[in-house]
Amino acid sequence: MNPIERPRRLRRDGLRELVSETNVAASDLIAPVFVDATTDERVEIETMPGHERVPIEESVSRVEEVLETGVEAVMLFGIPESKDEHGSRAWADDGVVQEATRWITSETDATVITDVCLCEYTDHGHCGVLENAAADDPRLTVKNDETLDLLQKTAVSHAAAGAEMVAPSGMMDGMVGAIRKALDDVGYTNVPIMSYAAKYESAFYGPFRDAADGAPSFGNRRHYQMDPANSREAMREVELDVEQGADVLMVKPALPYLDIVRDIREEFDHPVAAYNVSGEYAMIHAANERGWLNLQETALESLLSIKRAGADLILTYFAEDIADQLA
């Protein structure tokens, strides 16, 4: 046997690296940071090993830890000191994300992105204003257009605090257009929007809901988040967000939806982000603890697959570990 084509020729050390098609760099990664206004000390998140909720006063030191690994961007999630029916602390000038953003942008060089949603701030845990009697009738859900008004106020308050990018995640129809108009109307024309353009109603979000204290108190989010069975619908959702002014297009979750990442990459010229969510992170940690998988190798392979599918940016709880590994 003497085939002309011998792919193994290029798999030797030295040559293998030269012809590698995909790589993950620290600059591709965004690290989630949870800021908690209800505590004065760091609180370990049991379902997400290695991650903590930090008080506002420690938000700068937490972000500095991220920056030391080479990761340059963080996504801020807030746990407010109080909640109400409409989630009014989401847009408060002295809200948890607003205060943390001011501190972080004034004291560090981190790129600060903020999650724009209401689920952490409402006392019912849903992502907007509820229809009447929604708690008692599973056919009812969140009021779309009334929620847009609140998302506008939240995004503007984040921009005013210094956020360099806002990321609406509630999957409300028209949210990107509404936020773009609100930002532009008050002069924040240069603040980009990273839309959670294709966000699925997923079983992989469980640990995050513990981390951000944002689980719905009744029902689920199937009436506004996407059906996991649908891919063509994702393209319609993304196209609408592009038409409304989205600057970056997010797919969430990442690993179960790599086909969606690929479809968006091939169809649109915008930067594509993917959220390597808490359930994906927790599963690898759990398997590592049982001795079934190697944590670092599996995490890096997972992120490589997301990049290979077409993502330019990856929001991941592995950001710091992988950046350290790549250094």
Side-chain angles (χ1 to χ4, degrees), residues 28-107:
D28 300 327
L29 306 178
I30 304 168
V33 171
F34 297 95
V35 186
D36 189 344
T38 69
T39 183
D40 57 5
E41 61 183 9
R42 297 192 180 202
V43 178
E44 181 181 353
I45 301 169
E46 292 186 6
T47 52
M48 295 171 60
H51 284 272
E52 304 167 313
R53 296 183 184 185
V54 301
I56 295 172
E57 293 75 15
E58 293 222 24
S59 58
V60 170
S61 61
R62 176 71 188 97
V63 170
E64 287 175 339
E65 292 168 4
V66 173
L67 295 176
E68 287 174 1
T69 69
V71 176
E72 301 169 354
V74 296
M75 174 84 84
L76 298 187
F77 297 91
I79 296 90
E81 64 272 34
S82 63
K83 304 186 180 192
D84 59 37
E85 181 181 5
H86 292 92
S88 61
R89 295 301 299 171
W91 60 86
D93 182 62
D94 61 346
V96 57
V97 166
Q98 291 82 352
E99 292 284 8
T101 298
R102 291 189 191 96
W103 283 43
I104 294 165
T105 55
S106 66
E107 299 292 333

Side-chain angles (χ1 to χ4, degrees), residues 164-198:
E164 294 176 79
M165 182 183 290
V166 295
S169 60
M171 287 300 286
M172 296 297 117
D173 292 342
M175 66 181 183
V176 172
I179 290 172
R180 183 74 273 156
K181 182 179 187 304
L183 291 172
D184 291 352
D185 284 349
V186 293
Y188 296 118
T189 55
N190 291 324
V191 175
I193 297 173
M194 177 163 64
S195 176
Y196 289 62

